């Protein structure tokens, strides 16, 4: 079974430029998460989707970040314009559903973003 | 406010010995705990989990212990192998409310197992 797929793996851009990350979750997983991991820290949730619906975007900086999950499968996370402080690893994760106790999340390899 | 803390940034262990990684949390609503392992340039990989109704869960060489009164959990790896060298993250979630499914991670502990 294929895992969570993310692209690109690496991205270098200049500040004020736009950037987009793509994620394809594990087949059959209805819940999708975007996390940001800063150097030396654990991942922090940006947004969570249940199918097409964003059910928790409280940590998403909405002035410059946007996300979508059309058709409830693939998702795209966008930053426009990027700032130096956005340099981080952006991780996508998926789980089967939010129902039940202790749903395990499975992570993709991440996109490492460097803003110059 | 760091709700999940891993106070040891690194741990060095000899091959064959026990590795003990520790994690403390402050949010009493947390009721499900997970350990993830992360190799360089890869995403975190799920290792083992425990729910708040248990105090121990074992899977092969890996055992997680939960002390709810102390808000503390630990991961034991016995015996440690060089391939276990990685960053280990503790994570926690709460069953209810809008935070359901949100994992709160610790800062990670770098484990190095020497041959």
């Amino acid at each position: 079974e294929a895992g969570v797929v993310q692209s690109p793996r690496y991205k270098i851009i200049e500040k004020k430029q736009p950037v987009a990350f793509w994620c394809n979750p594990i087949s059959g997983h209805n819940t999708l998460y975007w996390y940001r991991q800063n150097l030396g820290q654990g991942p922090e949730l940006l947004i969570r989707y249940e199918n097409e619906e964003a059910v928790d975007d409280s940590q998403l900086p909405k002035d410059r970040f946007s996300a979508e999950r059309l058709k409830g499968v693939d998702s795209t996370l966008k930053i426009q314009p990027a700032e130096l402080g956005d340099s981080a690893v952006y991780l996508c994760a998926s789980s089967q559903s939010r129902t039940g106790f202790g749903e395990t999340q499975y992570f993709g390899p991440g996109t490492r973003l460097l803003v110059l | 406010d760091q709700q999940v803390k891993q106070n040891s940034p690194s741990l060095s262990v000899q091959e064959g010995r026990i590795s003990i990684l520790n994690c403390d949390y402050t949010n009493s609503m947390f009721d499900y705990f997970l350990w993830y392992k992360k190799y360089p340039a890869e995403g975190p990989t799920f290792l083992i989990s425990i729910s708040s109704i248990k105090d121990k869960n074992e899977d092969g060489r890996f055992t997680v212990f939960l002390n709810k009164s102390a808000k503390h959990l630990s991961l034991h790896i016995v015996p440690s192998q060089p391939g276990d060298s990685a960053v280990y993250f503790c994570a926690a979630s709460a069953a209810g409310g809008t935070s359901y499914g949100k994992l709160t991670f610790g800062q990670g502990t770098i484990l190095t197992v020497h041959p």
Side-chain angles (χ1 to χ4, degrees):
Chain A
E1 179 184 282
V4 177
V5 179
Q6 289 188 249
S7 69
R9 293 295 309 276
Y10 303 92
K11 190 73 176 179
I12 301 174
I13 61 172
E14 294 188 345
K15 63 181 181 182
K16 300 185 182 180
Q17 293 299 307
V19 65
F21 315 124
W22 176 81
C23 173
N24 180 247
I26 293 173
S27 178
H29 281 195
N30 297 319
T31 307
L32 184 146
Y33 314 78
W34 282 102
Y35 287 85
R36 177 169 60 188
Q37 184 178 12
N38 293 312
L39 191 64
Q41 300 294 318
E44 293 180 324
L45 182 69
L46 291 173
I47 189 168
R48 183 177 89 230
Y49 281 93
E50 299 290 338
N51 298 304
E52 301 92 350
E53 183 183 0
V55 297
D56 183 0
D57 63 355
S58 57
Q59 303 283 76
L60 191 72
K62 298 182 183 62
D63 56 337
R64 298 183 299 106
F65 286 66
S66 64
E68 60 182 10
R69 192 185 183 197
L70 300 176
K71 301 181 181 179
V73 181
D74 296 0
S75 178
T76 302
L77 177 69
K78 297 179 182 177
I79 308 174
Q80 183 170 8
E83 296 179 353
L84 295 177
D86 295 331
S87 296
V89 176
Y90 291 84
L91 293 160
C92 180
S94 69
S95 61
Q96 282 195 311
S97 75
R98 82 187 291 271
T99 59
F101 183 66
E103 199 63 54
T104 297
Q105 296 179 24
Y106 296 89
F107 284 81
T111 296
R112 186 175 297 274
L113 174 67
L114 179 60
V115 182
L116 302 176
Chain B
D1 176 30
Q2 192 75 27
Q3 297 188 59
V4 178
K5 294 181 182 180
Q6 296 175 253
N7 292 316
S8 298
S10 64
L11 175 67
S12 183
V13 171
Q14 204 70 29
E15 181 179 7
R17 307 293 290 269
I18 184 171
S19 295
I20 301 177
L21 297 102
N22 294 302
C23 178
D24 297 293
Y25 62 96
T26 58
N27 189 340
S28 58
M29 297 299 291
F30 288 147
D31 54 10
Y32 187 62
F33 305 89
L34 306 89
W35 284 94
Y36 283 84
K37 179 171 70 174
K38 186 181 183 304
Y39 293 118
E42 295 184 12
T45 302
F46 170 71
L47 197 56
I48 192 170
S49 62
I50 188 167
S51 68
S52 58
I53 60 175
K54 294 185 174 182
D55 55 17
K56 177 183 174 181
N57 188 27
E58 197 171 347
D59 184 3
R61 298 186 295 113
F62 303 91
T63 303
V64 56
F65 295 91
L66 176 62
N67 183 333
K68 289 186 290 294
S69 60
K71 294 189 176 68
H72 176 85
L73 64 156
S74 60
L75 174 68
H76 292 211
I77 307 174
V78 183
S80 301
Q81 300 173 353
D84 296 329
S85 298
V87 181
Y88 288 78
F89 290 99
C90 168
S93 71
T98 57
S99 294
Y100 184 93
K102 172 184 176 180
L103 289 181
T104 301
F105 283 84
Q107 310 94 307
T109 297
I110 301 171
L111 173 66
T112 304
V113 180
H114 299 283

